[in-house]
Amino acid sequence: MTLEQIKSAVAGYVAASKQAGTWEVSNNNIAGLIDKIAKTITIDGLFADKLPQLDGEELPLGKTIEEYYTDLAQVVDYNDRADQNSPHYPTYQDNTYNYTLGRKVVQTTLKYNEYERAFNSEAEFNTIVNMVIKRLYDTYAVFKYNTKKQILANIIAKATDEPEVAAKLVEVLPMPVDATTGEAFIESVKASVEEAQFVSEGHSLNTGATIGAAEGLLLIVKKGVKPALEVQVQAGAFQLDKLAVPAEIVVVDDFGSAGSEFYAILMDRRMARLHPTYTAVREHMNAAGDWISYFLHTENTAFISKNTYVKVYSSVEL
């Protein structure tokens, strides 16, 4: 046969309807018995929390996080007759409070004597039973990840709610798609990274506070940005994991409920955390129904600091 003849024969042999289709009973054998299933499999994917950088420590007691910020001390002219007995108390910015998000429950049920009839292999049977519990924790991981993305959306909201705040915290640049827009973004990020290394004002959600230098930065970008930079910008202008000074690059698929025009956040890595205040897995067995349910309880407090460096990037004017 020629190559074209083989291709033609294969096209008719490998019918699309015979893959990834619905169940059809067949008994194509001389005894008329049901044709057996030779193998039962499941191909699992990865369900991960892609923002472990925002994990906060567990808070077993109390639910609310209180943040205070101490202003710099006064500098005055020297006076050898100054009254040393007069106090010079420090001043503080207004305290802020982060409250519990409340409780959620991830739940699933495993029914006994149910899956046994569907398998003739103990290994395959154990796989589907174990998957019930695995999916409980997979769901929890995805829930945590999306909760953290919503924290980022709330940071964007707080940075853009008031025009005078947005004027200081939001950088309007086209989303990087080619060499020109990519280089402009990199230049801006490098300047902001450098800016964050010094004492400054007007670069936090509390724009009236004088904040200290950042202790490490996160550059969180929406998917699509990093490949554009890597492909379109000349080699050497953009390093995969570092900018002008250390800044960890994290890719997310979106920024929660924030608009699609927002594509990057550069922030002090201490700015946001998701603190678990209660995590427990409980079981409930129903003897009459012959099933067992699992309940994963979670309660969390989301923390956003108003006194750390942040810069939000938008592709359109606000």
Side-chain angles (χ1 to χ4, degrees):
M1 297 180 71
T2 66
L3 181 58
E4 288 302 318
Q5 289 173 327
I6 292 176
K7 289 181 178 179
S8 178
V10 168
Y13 173 63
V14 187
S17 61
K18 293 187 177 182
Q19 297 95 51
T22 57
W23 169 244
E24 294 180 2
V25 178
S26 64
N27 55 348
N28 297 322
N29 59 83
I30 193 171
L33 300 173
I34 294 176
D35 294 339
K36 300 301 185 289
I37 293 175
K39 184 179 182 181
T40 300
I41 67 168
T42 181
I43 300 177
D44 199 11
L46 178 63
F47 298 88
D49 175 3
K50 293 184 176 293
L51 282 169
Q53 297 84 354
L54 301 192
D55 279 334
E57 74 274 16
E58 185 176 354
L59 305 176
L61 299 174
K63 303 294 183 183
T64 302
I65 299 175
E66 181 179 44
E67 182 185 21
Y68 72 93
Y69 193 78
T70 309
D71 295 323
L72 294 178
Q74 291 183 342
V75 178
V76 299
D77 293 334
Y78 171 74
N79 183 347
D80 60 357
R81 296 185 179 181
D83 183 2
Q84 299 183 46
N85 293 319
S86 298
H88 304 283
Y89 297 120
T91 59
Y92 298 87
Q93 296 292 315
D94 291 340
N95 298 336
T96 58
Y97 296 86
N98 302 262
Y99 301 100
T100 179
L101 302 176
R103 289 176 65 165
K104 292 290 185 180
V105 182
V106 185
Q107 56 190 28
T108 190
T109 297
L110 176 63
K111 185 169 178 56
Y112 294 110
N113 195 32
E114 183 68 18
Y115 298 117
E116 287 85 345
R117 72 185 70 239
F119 295 94
N120 51 26
S121 162
E122 185 175 353
E124 294 171 354
F125 168 73
N126 289 334
T127 296
I128 196 170
V129 171
N130 293 335
M131 187 64 69
V132 174
I133 305 301
K134 182 179 182 297
R135 279 293 183 264
L136 191 76
Y137 291 95
D138 288 342
T139 304
Y140 179 53
V142 174
F143 172 77
K144 282 204 308 177
Y145 173 55
N146 281 273
T147 301
K148 292 172 183 177
K149 289 194 297 180
Q150 190 56 41
I151 295 174
L152 298 177
N154 292 348
I155 290 175
I156 292 173
K158 291 178 182 294
T160 57
D161 277 348
E162 301 178 11
E164 59 272 20
V165 176
K168 298 178 179 179
L169 302 184
V170 179
E171 184 84 12
V172 179
L173 284 174
M175 183 171 171
V177 294
D178 53 29
T180 300
T181 55
E183 289 171 0
F185 175 66
I186 291 171
E187 182 178 0
S188 174
V189 170
K190 286 185 176 181
S192 296
V193 168
E194 186 176 66
E195 181 179 66
Q197 306 311 304
F198 297 91
V199 176
S200 63
E201 294 179 355
H203 298 297
S204 65
L205 293 177
N206 185 2
T207 53
T210 301
I211 61 173
E215 294 186 11
L217 292 163
L218 292 178
L219 177 61
I220 305 175
V221 298
K222 193 158 62 173
K223 67 178 182 180
V225 171
K226 190 174 176 182
L229 294 173
E230 293 172 350
V231 173
Q232 300 294 344
V233 179
Q234 293 180 357
F238 181 75
Q239 299 177 14
L240 295 184
D241 299 314
K242 301 286 185 181
L243 293 173
V245 294
E248 183 181 357
I249 302 168
V250 181
V251 179
V252 296
D253 50 342
D254 58 60
F255 285 117
S257 63
S260 59
E261 66 271 22
F262 299 106
Y263 62 87
I265 301 175
L266 178 68
M267 69 182 195
D268 190 311
R269 64 184 308 118
R270 302 167 298 173
M271 183 179 186
R273 290 288 186 273
L274 181 65
H275 293 271
T277 61
Y278 183 72
T279 306
V281 177
R282 309 297 184 196
E283 300 178 1
H284 173 70
M285 182 176 291
N286 185 299
D290 202 23
W291 48 256
I292 183 170
S293 288
Y294 299 91
F295 303 88
L296 192 159
H297 295 261
T298 178
E299 184 171 0
N300 304 273
T301 298
F303 169 74
I304 295 176
S305 172
K306 292 190 68 176
N307 303 293
T308 53
Y309 186 93
V310 64
K311 173 71 69 69
V312 173
Y313 287 87
S314 173
S315 59
V316 300
E317 292 283 350
L318 302 181

